[in-house]
Amino acid sequence: MPRPPDPSVEADVVAAFRAQVRAMTDGDTDTLDDLLAEDFTLTHITGYVQSKADWLAQMRAGQFDYHSVEEKSVTVDINGDEARLVGRFITDATVYGTRANWRLQLTMGYVLQNDTWTAHRSLATTW
């Protein structure tokens, strides 16, 4: 029989994600660099797959400016040392000079490394 989900583990994954969101809205690319795996990729709603280094460089250059992120829902599935977080958000951001409220669903992949949940990938779609 499968074990029931551990709420404390789920809470740790959500906390890791919320730390990422705080860093994004603070424009804190140094913290984002620490929170995200070296091989992290972000797949945008256009389908473009962007490396961590490129995304952070564009944030530093002001091409991605996250003003606020309103969380609407978050679910977490844990499978051993891997986790999948799916959340829906209203993201107020300026992207390449255009400011809008984006209805984004993010599907995040996490791996537990040294007792820390680290994001390895993010897939953004609209909802």
Side-chain angles (χ1 to χ4, degrees), residues 34-102:
D34 292 340
L35 292 173
L36 305 174
E38 285 308 309
D39 63 348
F40 175 85
T41 60
L42 167 60
T43 303
H44 292 274
I45 59 176
T46 61
Y48 175 67
V49 179
Q50 188 171 34
S51 70
K52 172 179 134 174
D54 189 42
W55 182 47
L56 296 181
Q58 287 190 346
M59 285 184 66
R60 289 180 184 115
Q63 293 171 321
F64 285 88
D65 187 6
Y66 299 92
H67 307 291
S68 67
V69 177
E70 182 184 345
E71 187 175 298
K72 295 297 186 178
S73 67
V74 173
T75 60
V76 177
D77 293 312
I78 308 293
N79 185 7
D81 289 346
E82 296 185 3
R84 180 175 174 258
L85 178 144
V86 178
R88 288 187 170 184
F89 309 91
I90 305 293
T91 302
D92 177 8
T94 302
V95 179
Y96 301 119
T98 301
R99 186 170 183 170
N101 286 313
W102 308 86

